[in-house]
Amino acid sequence: MTNERRVLVHPDKEALAASVAARFLTKTIDILDDLGAANIALTGGTMGIAVLEAVNGSPARDTIDWSKVHFWWGDERFVEKSSEERNERQAREALLDHLPVPPENIHPFPASDEIPDIEEAASVYAAELQAFAPEGQAFPKFDITFLGVGPDGHIASLFPDRAGIRETEATVIVERESPKPPPQRLSLTRPVLNASDRIWLVLSGSDKASALGLALAGASYTEVPVAGAKGRKRTVFFVDKDAAVDVPENLIAPSY
């Protein structure tokens, strides 16, 4: 089993979203052919949602049997269910509401008006993960995990020099004081994310260049969390030119 880290550079945000969407559709078909089902972990953010919108707009969207796909989230803002800040709501509006996905195949984190206590909400999501895990495991094997990257290098809601990025036992952590609003978050932990077969990081903009450069240069993942994102089979950084300015040439894969 190989563990590759590749950087694929695109000319702009639009081309980036379209390319990731096309690859996602193709890979999902392959996964369903091979395994009969797929577990996908989604992310929020500008590019994460742009990719979902591009998937929704693709002619290939309806070639997939979506009844065999389960959707999860890498993290969530702990706000009310109807809040526009929820990654779940944004993903539903961009893609999920347009697909024939059985409701039981969509696994959102609890909202603050569903389970007001954030610690209990974390426990509930951990139980949901375990309910769909192979026997003896604590969480399902994600086939593709999407991650965004913050200018500070955070992934999901695992921030630099916080307890969450160091957690190795729990599957879900609580972040009460996020450096970016809203302050309360729920997040999968690094071991869960890194158990994914494929981690796809999608980032654009010059404000992400430093974090990307540091990650690829071998920075400590506690200081630059994205440096610790490593899928079991493959880790791919899908970036635009602005985000790639600090990436060594030898790490940039040929375009496809």
Side-chain angles (χ1 to χ4, degrees):
M1 181 176 294
T2 60
N3 185 326
E4 300 178 35
R5 296 182 95 185
R6 297 194 296 164
V7 181
L8 300 174
V9 182
H10 303 77
D12 53 43
K13 293 179 181 180
E14 292 75 21
L16 172 60
S19 176
V20 177
R23 185 166 179 81
F24 170 70
L25 289 162
T26 300
K27 183 55 66 176
T28 299
I29 290 171
D30 291 342
I31 292 167
L32 293 178
D33 284 345
D34 290 344
L35 304 177
N39 283 285
I40 308 298
L42 301 177
T43 186
T46 302
M47 288 311 305
I49 300 306
V51 169
L52 298 185
E53 290 173 342
V55 171
N56 187 48
S58 171
R61 183 195 72 177
D62 296 332
T63 63
I64 289 174
D65 183 353
W66 294 106
S67 69
K68 297 179 179 178
V69 181
H70 284 253
F71 289 98
W72 304 79
W73 276 265
D75 75 321
E76 185 58 275
R77 291 88 179 265
F78 194 58
V79 292
E80 293 183 352
K81 187 78 169 177
S82 61
S83 173
E84 294 182 357
E85 293 187 302
R86 268 184 72 86
N87 292 335
E88 177 203 355
R89 175 172 173 174
Q90 295 173 22
R92 286 184 181 276
E93 291 176 350
L95 176 63
L96 301 183
D97 286 349
H98 307 277
L99 301 178
V101 181
E104 62 269 22
N105 286 20
I106 299 177
H107 308 273
F109 280 93
S112 62
D113 53 345
E114 294 175 320
I115 301 178
D117 181 87
I118 192 170
E119 295 286 352
E120 182 183 352
S123 296
V124 166
Y125 205 66
E128 178 85 352
L129 289 166
Q130 189 157 34
F132 286 84
E135 186 174 356
Q137 302 298 311
F139 49 87
K141 178 184 70 65
F142 297 117
D143 299 289
I144 300 174
T145 291
F146 285 100
L147 291 173
V149 181
D152 62 354
H154 81 265
I155 51 173
S157 285
L158 305 176
F159 294 94
D161 301 314
R162 298 290 182 101
I165 188 60
R166 297 184 176 90
E167 177 61 53
T168 59
E169 299 298 324
T171 56
V172 181
I173 59 107
V174 168
E175 173 56 69
R176 294 184 180 276
E177 297 180 356
S178 164
K180 58 181 294 189
Q184 294 195 99
R185 310 285 188 93
L186 295 163
S187 180
L188 301 185
T189 56
R190 180 172 171 263
V192 179
L193 297 173
N194 282 357
S196 307
D197 275 352
R198 302 161 191 85
I199 291 181
W200 290 5
L201 301 109
V202 186
L203 54 159
S204 68
S206 57
D207 61 330
K208 310 294 178 69
S210 176
L212 178 59
L214 288 169
L216 295 172
S220 164
Y221 72 82
T222 59
E223 297 176 1
V224 186
V226 63
K230 296 178 182 178
R232 291 174 65 250
K233 292 183 178 179
R234 185 164 294 172
T235 307
V236 184
F237 294 85
F238 297 90
V239 306
D240 67 3
K241 284 185 176 180
D242 289 341
V245 293
D246 293 334
V247 176
E249 285 290 332
N250 66 303
L251 294 181
I252 297 176
S255 299
Y256 55 79

